[in-house]
Amino acid sequence: MHTRVARRRHRHVQLAGSIALAALCATGLAAQMVSPSIDKPGQPFNYFSAPTGEIGMMDAEAATEVTPEGYLRTGFGELMFFSGPELTPTNVRIRTLEDGHLPIDHDQFTRDGIDYLMTFFAATLNGKPEGPLVNFIRVTMKNKGSETARAIFATGMRYDAPNNTGAPHGDNRFTRPVEGKFPGNYRQPGEPFNPNWVYSFDAEHFYRNGRLLYSFPAGYTSRGWTLHGFYNRAQDVSKPLTLHVDPVVPVGIVTYSRLLKPGEEFVLDFTMPVVPSADGSEVTAIDHAQFDTFEAQVISFWKGILAQGMQVQLPERKPVDAFDMNLIYDLIARDHIDSNYIQTVNKLHYHSFYLRDGADIVHSYDVTGYPLIAKQDLDFFALSQKPNGNFLSQPQQYDGWGEAVWGYSQHYRMTHDKAFAEWALPQIARAVDWLKQARAADPLHIMPASDVRDNEYVPGHLTGYNFLALSGLRLAIQMARETGHSNLATSWQAEYDDYQKAFFTVLDAQCAAHNGYIPPALDGQKGGYDWGNMLAVDYEPILDPHDPRVSATLKATQAKYAEGIMTYADGEYLHHYLTIKNTLTEVIRGDQQRAVQEFYALLLHTSSTHAGFEFAIRPWGDRNFEDNLAPHGWFAAEYRTLLRNMLVREQGDDLHLLSAISPDWVGAGKTISVHQAPTYFGLVAFTLTQPSANEATLHLDTAFTTTPHSIVVHLPWFIQLSSATADGKTILPESGSLSIPPATKSVTLHWTMKPGMPKMSFAKTVKDYEAEYARRYQILMHGPEVQSR
């Protein structure tokens, strides 16, 4: 969460962490549930009742929101769709992606015997990020019945949607236009509404003030300024006209109507420039842009990007599709402006740069095979270093110091890029100088206090800022040492030791005062929300994973879960990616079952196009994040890192495989495979084949540049191992894992499933959630006595 949204949206409503229905009724919030009928059998599950999405291209300066209804919103307006004889606005909640994981959206609905399939994507006309960005829309209408039926479809533009929140924009939309004050500042290309705009048509285009809003194909039945003429009079569109309409009124209506015989199709292609254009040559280029040609280019581009990085194959489709698409969401969120690559969170309401989000996104790129993209992003981090040496992207967000230093250092750890280290180390030296001065001036001799009122939402010395700073400094010492800067390493080690001592003195006292729980702030104050206090083990293990304080903090935060994920603001909201801070820790600790449960809960709370959210949804509520739009880039990065770490990760000098896998991925004929996975030690690939229910073989293919001490193969908690061999030699398990030599090529396992183990899968998680949600809804609508019937 970030300050701009938190300040606007935070409300102090004290709700219990688990949010029982009785508590909801007592606060008057129970009516915010939504009918379970929105989850239709046979359709992909979409957690959100009002989902949003995003189409765009990597590094372009803008993108397009796919609204909850399925309209296309830019900074200049929304392209709407209508169907049927009444020209009813379409509203398609369930969307799917091309091949399950490519940013080509498909909407489908049936009306009056006609199946409507809408496909849309974005592409630049010249294939370059700075080129004119255009939305391509194809509508395919097909009569799948046995009788002739009429297909009726229309398009139109409005500036904004109706508003029920008091925000300066329609529901589930973003604010525009906004001009950024500096690189990385929130920006949103667009223009303010003007009732005096002049609209015009020609045979294939609809214009506003002479600039193209959208293009439409021939064969239309009618064109009109608005859906209905005054007194139903015919509308003359032959001359430009100032309409003086409200922002929510659709204009530029183009209608198509055709009788279709059984099996007959009717296809329409539309285009919509993201930035309206008055350039005649650009309009001509748009007219010549063929849907099929650009769709093929978009597919080829994104497949090429995906092929460069870590490849995952699992028996379940959802986790893998989400892994791929969330990379694409983060790349669409990135800007390339002048020489800068600016990693933003999305191109909707979070079209801005944050060191805190950016570091995790960069880390995700690094650990899943995209080091060049990571380095490009890190170059921009340098602009957040202030003259005094501190890294700061937003006022008083001192976690930026640790995020930046850790971001630089973890990139070196993954790439061993000495040229990058030589570029980064002088910046870190200035940052450490600032840290020394700041700590010396601080009464606790730790990271200075702040009053940001975001994330932890409490003034004072924030625990997480110190975990992050120590994580960054620890890795920076390693980078300095490995690149021959022994003087820096020695100096920084002394600073680290002194800092750690001061921090632990404060931390120990506060944990003792909180029964072992690590509080969000360190001044003994009440209040504050769990956030950085959940980072004792991840990023770097500042505390031992099994330290009693880590265990106590996990227990305390897990007790606040609702719907299987973390809550925020004293249980008022669900928080999606905050959960992953715990889940990553559980993977390291070996809490396999808990980690897999949370993994599925995280997937449950995504859209049918795999978008994650931040917060603003109430537990067991209406599943609507309102203006806190999806996709969210921090979730995207954290999810990819989580799945990667579940399958392959490093810990100290050891390489760990299969740290947490699902029972649904184990069984006769099932395969788990990883290829092109970067690690500290080099590239790793493996395949776990299962020829029978009681036998599995792990095939290893490694290209180590630094040899690990050993490879640790974790045994699933739900199996009983009978025997294991590594390259034909018997090996014995220890503490639920097998330690094998780094040169091992094959591990053969004989095992059986333990009796009474829970069944776990994405499909079962969805089914269980739907049943519980429906149960609560019935109680809401019919009273608690419904349970006893």
Side-chain angles (χ1 to χ4, degrees), residues 325-637:
M325 188 60 202
N326 277 286
L327 170 67
I328 293 172
Y329 282 138
D330 273 339
L331 293 176
I332 289 175
R334 203 172 79 145
D335 293 344
H336 184 193
I337 301 175
D338 298 327
S339 61
N340 295 315
Y341 290 90
I342 306 171
Q343 183 65 62
T344 74
V345 181
N346 59 35
K347 285 197 165 82
L348 308 178
H349 70 304
Y350 272 148
H351 191 191
S352 47
F353 171 74
Y354 298 83
L355 281 169
R356 52 180 51 165
D357 304 60
D360 275 337
I361 296 172
V362 163
H363 176 245
S364 176
Y365 291 148
D366 271 325
V367 299
T368 61
Y370 297 90
L372 175 59
I373 292 172
K375 183 180 182 301
Q376 291 170 338
D377 283 2
L378 287 169
D379 286 345
F380 186 73
F381 280 38
L383 297 185
S384 291
Q385 188 166 36
K386 305 305 177 185
N388 64 5
N390 191 17
F391 282 98
L392 206 62
S393 58
Q394 281 75 29
Q396 294 193 60
Q397 290 187 3
Y398 296 135
D399 58 329
W401 192 99
E403 300 279 14
V405 174
W406 179 79
Y408 285 166
S409 303
Q410 67 80 33
H411 178 74
Y412 172 78
R413 179 170 60 180
M414 292 298 300
T415 64
H416 305 290
D417 183 344
K418 287 184 168 52
F420 174 81
E422 294 302 322
W423 172 84
L425 284 167
Q427 298 175 53
I428 297 174
R430 294 195 298 275
V432 174
D433 288 344
W434 175 87
L435 179 68
K436 290 178 180 178
Q437 295 172 14
R439 288 203 314 109
D442 183 78
L444 300 181
H445 302 298
I446 58 177
M447 188 63 73
S450 62
D451 189 5
V452 177
R453 299 305 172 104
D454 185 26
N455 293 356
E456 290 89 349
Y457 219 89
V458 63
H461 293 84
L462 300 186
T463 310
Y465 288 12
N466 292 279
F467 280 142
L468 288 164
L470 288 168
S471 289
L473 187 54
R474 174 187 287 185
L475 275 194
I477 294 166
Q478 179 180 324
M479 176 168 61
R481 185 175 295 118
E482 290 184 4
T483 54
H485 296 273
S486 57
N487 290 341
L488 286 178
T490 300
S491 172
W492 295 351
Q493 185 65 58
E495 172 64 13
Y496 181 91
D497 293 342
D498 187 69
Y499 185 3
Q500 183 187 55
K501 181 180 179 181
F503 173 60
F504 278 8
T505 298
V506 179
L507 182 68
D508 290 347
Q510 289 302 315
C511 287
H514 290 82
N515 297 317
Y517 161 75
I518 302 171
L522 298 167
D523 304 280
Q525 66 272 61
K526 295 182 179 180
Y529 304 140
D530 296 297
W531 195 278
N533 55 317
M534 300 162 67
L535 294 175
V537 175
D538 175 76
Y539 297 18
E540 304 301 315
I542 303 305
L543 297 179
D544 184 273
H546 295 280
D547 187 295
R549 293 167 291 185
V550 174
S551 300
T553 306
L554 278 172
K555 183 178 179 180
T557 52
Q558 289 163 353
K560 300 174 185 179
Y561 283 17
E563 300 185 21
I565 63 174
M566 187 62 181
T567 58
Y568 180 76
D570 294 330
E572 184 176 357
Y573 302 115
L574 297 173
H575 202 296
H576 200 193
Y577 63 81
L578 182 57
T579 314
I580 302 178
K581 301 182 192 305
N582 273 352
T583 316
L584 286 165
T585 298
E586 291 154 5
V587 169
I588 295 169
R589 283 165 54 96
D591 300 337
Q592 295 184 30
Q593 183 172 352
R594 182 86 200 200
V596 173
Q597 287 172 336
E598 291 181 12
F599 174 74
Y600 281 130
L602 290 161
L603 284 173
L604 170 76
H605 290 83
T606 61
S607 69
S608 54
T609 55
H610 319 305
F613 74 108
E614 186 180 48
F615 82 126
I617 296 177
R618 298 183 186 279
W620 303 107
D622 65 0
R623 296 157 58 178
N624 186 350
F625 43 59
E626 296 185 3
D627 300 335
N628 200 323
L629 308 177
H632 196 286
W634 205 346
F635 168 82

Side-chain angles (χ1 to χ4, degrees), residues 680-717:
Y680 310 164
F681 310 110
L683 285 177
V684 172
F686 69 82
T687 301
L688 182 73
T689 58
Q690 301 168 78
S692 70
N694 299 326
E695 182 181 357
T697 301
L698 180 65
H699 305 275
L700 294 161
D701 183 9
T702 57
F704 293 138
T705 54
T706 301
T707 304
H709 176 264
S710 65
I711 298 176
V712 180
V713 180
H714 292 262
L715 300 171
W717 85 91

